[in-house]
Amino acid sequence: MIVYGSTLSPYVRKCMVFGAEKGLELQLKFAGPGSPDPEFREASPFGKMPAFRDGDFTIADSTAIVTYLDAKFPEPNLIPLEPQARARTIWFDEMADTLMMAAGGAIFGNRFVKPRVMQLPCDHDAADQAEKEQLPPLLDYLERMIPDSGFLVEDRFTLADISVASPLATLGCIGVCVDPARYPRTAAYVDAIHARPSFATIIARDRAQVAAMGGGAVRAA
């Protein structure tokens, strides 16, 4: 089974962590957005990552990929079956994929991808606005919602935790971290999720890649 993309993308990381937590051997094959690689484009007709291949079956979109993996390899179950728990898991997944990624993408895209990868000017105002105005309400919400168990749904590790922790792992690669003074519960939660072997190995590789490409974020003087 092949996942196409880069784990600097929270969506790709989500798939790789999900597979690792299930004990699956997923091969990561690099493909950037819009890559002309024919295998990638067969799996992702619109050039978005991640894309996925399992034999003759191909699919794109991280949520579609993990849904397939959870159905084909049901143990350990990472998308709950109980209706309310399942709905809450999908809610956190959607929150991460849309709201958290809107904020994180503006920060990471402008402070790292544009200047370090694309050699383009970054929009400092957009990145600063996202960090100061878009991200805090999401962290406020998490601070209220994280149970004492340290897991978002069913007091156990699920897709909800993978999805929420993944964008924050990408931001951490450029030094944007959850402030433990302002968000003590969320900071402890993120640290614990990121310390899991499924996350830790990938995060170490991602941070090394960021360092090799110029050492982190570009900020306004």
Side-chain angles (χ1 to χ4, degrees):
M1 292 180 288
I2 302 172
V3 175
Y4 300 89
S6 164
T7 51
L8 282 176
S9 160
Y11 299 124
V12 177
R13 187 187 298 108
K14 178 171 81 174
C15 295
M16 297 302 295
V17 170
F18 194 93
E21 289 284 346
K22 282 190 169 284
L24 303 175
E25 293 289 337
L26 301 182
Q27 176 188 348
L28 180 65
K29 184 174 181 181
F30 176 77
S35 168
D37 181 284
E39 290 186 7
F40 170 64
R41 295 310 288 257
E42 180 185 1
S44 181
F46 300 103
K48 302 292 186 179
M49 61 178 182
F52 175 81
R53 177 182 298 276
D54 183 9
D56 294 333
F57 175 73
T58 60
I59 195 72
D61 182 80
S62 61
T63 301
I65 293 167
V66 299
T67 299
Y68 171 79
L69 292 174
D70 210 53
K72 185 169 182 178
F73 305 97
E75 296 298 333
N77 175 264
L78 296 178
I79 302 177
L81 298 178
E82 191 278 324
Q84 293 185 13
R86 189 177 185 88
R88 292 184 64 241
T89 297
I90 298 305
W91 152 246
F92 281 113
D93 181 58
E94 179 65 14
M95 184 188 82
D97 283 0
T98 56
L99 300 176
M100 294 182 72
M101 280 297 295
I107 299 167
F108 189 75
N110 279 298
R111 292 183 183 164
F112 182 78
V113 177
K114 283 186 177 180
R116 302 297 190 195
V117 179
M118 302 175 70
Q119 307 301 312
L120 294 174
C122 56
D123 186 338
H124 294 294
D125 290 339
D128 291 345
Q129 186 274 338
E131 185 175 1
K132 294 175 183 177
E133 298 179 21
Q134 290 179 254
L135 194 57
L138 298 170
L139 298 177
D140 288 335
Y141 175 76
L142 289 173
E143 190 71 12
R144 297 194 304 271
M145 295 301 295
I146 296 169
D148 291 341
S149 67
F151 301 110
L152 289 169
V153 178
E154 288 193 335
D155 293 331
R156 67 182 181 92
F157 188 77
T158 68
L159 171 63
D161 303 301
I162 298 173
S163 299
V164 165
S166 193
L168 297 173
T170 295
L171 290 177
C173 289
I174 58 169
V176 178
C177 300
V178 179
D179 181 0
R182 182 173 177 181
Y183 306 107
R185 181 176 291 262
T186 305
Y189 164 80
V190 171
D191 287 346
I193 299 299
H194 287 175
R196 295 176 72 92
S198 57
F199 261 106
T201 301
I202 294 173
I203 290 173
R205 184 174 66 235
D206 291 340
R207 289 183 175 178
Q209 182 179 350
V210 166
M213 296 175 69
V218 171
R219 293 180 178 270

